[in-house]
Amino acid sequence: MSTPSQLNAQHIRNFVPTLHTKPYPAIDPSRVKLPSPYVVCIIGGRGAAAGGIARAYVQAGASGLILAARTRFALEETANEVRSINPATKVVVAECDITSSASVESLTRTTKSEFDGHLDVVAVNAGYSGPMVADVLKELPSDFQTAFDVNTVGCFHAAHHFLPLLLASETGAKSFIGISSISAPMVAGWAAHAHYCASKAAQTRLIEMINEQYASKGIFCTSLHPGGLQSEFAHKVVSEEFWSAALIDSPDLVGAFCVWLTKPGARKEVLNGRFLSCKWDVSELEKKFDEISEKDLLRFRIAVA
């Protein structure tokens, strides 16, 4: 028998009838013309999701892109790829350890100096998970600590240091996206490994609090499930059976969805501060906007009645 948490996770997956695995015309970033300047910072700038996000924004005409990770050389492949897509985009690579406040603060200074103080979007893609072991007695304390350091505290560092730059960019999109996971609402099932699920749930709650504190000042923020990606990250933690059966989504889908969320004149304010999935069909999602607002859906809560 399914538990309430498993049913809740299933309801989130199937929030709209149509689920996509790759970009489609309604969110095609090549059909978007971003203004100039339009600058995007991706923290955790290597890997499948980061590549998809970077490609989408340069296809849409972003004037600037900064890719950050703990090691600079890991970013060069993505940087060279996006330069080939749009040579007009200024691409900067930078070292950043998201678990270090000082390192994230340094990245903020680099972003400000390289792009004349202008920033539109911050996408926090850095993430950590140890093996999927659904037993707290068997999970390693070191994995639990690292997951919170990267997934939760790291997102706080990014918000703490980058929100002032987003706010200062008066003509910017002022968007802060935390790349989350469908694991965030899970507490049961074979994939419910505590260190990852709990840290991603805490990250999602942090995004809700950023919304409460800064939506009135123009900040748009969301927690975004990037789909099931065949990434280096996933390869380390999932079984081969799960790899081939469930990780079927294109990394370009999450990138296209991010552009749809943050393109000028199209911000979906009703989605501000909420948990979203890039797999959801956006036309069907838009039809649920009134319901989302009236019932305050797609947020974490404790049921008391």
Side-chain angles (χ1 to χ4, degrees), residues 232-297:
E232 180 181 341
F233 172 87
H235 190 69
K236 293 178 180 178
V237 300
V238 304
S239 66
E240 290 298 328
E241 180 181 4
F242 184 84
W243 175 273
S244 59
L247 304 183
I248 60 173
D249 299 318
S250 166
D252 293 322
L253 179 61
V254 64
F257 195 91
C258 286
V259 172
W260 174 79
L261 272 178
T262 63
K263 62 184 179 181
R267 279 193 359 182
K268 314 300 182 184
E269 295 300 338
V270 70
L271 301 179
N272 204 350
R274 303 185 192 274
F275 182 94
L276 308 174
S277 170
C278 74
K279 293 176 64 62
W280 296 340
D281 182 85
V282 297
S283 297
E284 294 172 356
L285 180 60
E286 287 175 337
K287 292 177 181 177
K288 299 193 74 166
F289 278 5
D290 287 344
E291 181 185 3
I292 291 169
S293 180
E294 291 168 4
K295 296 181 180 179
D296 197 23
L297 302 179

Side-chain angles (χ1 to χ4, degrees), residues 169-233:
S169 300
E170 295 183 2
T171 62
K174 294 182 172 61
S175 298
F176 186 92
I177 300 171
I179 299 301
S180 185
S181 171
I182 200 65
S183 297
M186 291 182 179
V187 297
W190 69 271
H193 47 317
H195 66 274
Y196 187 68
C197 296
S199 61
K200 281 298 185 181
Q203 180 194 40
T204 300
R205 193 61 160 175
L206 173 61
I207 295 292
E208 292 181 2
M209 297 182 76
I210 293 169
N211 166 252
E212 289 295 323
Q213 296 170 9
Y214 284 95
S216 63
K217 298 179 181 179
I219 292 294
F220 179 85
C221 59
T222 184
S223 299
L224 181 61
H225 170 51
L229 306 180
Q230 291 191 358
S231 62
E232 180 181 341
F233 172 87

Side-chain angles (χ1 to χ4, degrees), residues 76-87:
E76 292 299 340
E77 181 178 356
T78 301
N80 290 334
E81 180 185 14
V82 296
R83 288 183 182 117
S84 70
I85 294 171
N86 188 351

Side-chain angles (χ1 to χ4, degrees), residues 127-195:
Y128 175 83
S129 175
M132 286 186 176
V133 180
D135 186 338
V136 295
L137 299 183
K138 296 178 181 178
E139 290 190 56
L140 296 177
S142 58
D143 282 335
F144 201 91
Q145 182 68 61
T146 304
F148 271 85
D149 287 346
V150 175
N151 300 338
T152 309
V153 179
C155 187
F156 169 81
H157 289 156
H160 181 76
H161 293 296
F162 273 97
L163 284 179
L165 187 52
L166 290 173
L167 289 166
S169 300
E170 295 183 2
T171 62
K174 294 182 172 61
S175 298
F176 186 92
I177 300 171
I179 299 301
S180 185
S181 171
I182 200 65
S183 297
M186 291 182 179
V187 297
W190 69 271
H193 47 317
H195 66 274

Side-chain angles (χ1 to χ4, degrees), residues 1 33 111 118 146 232:
M1 179 179 295
K33 178 59 178 175
T111 304
H118 186 90
T146 304
E232 180 181 341

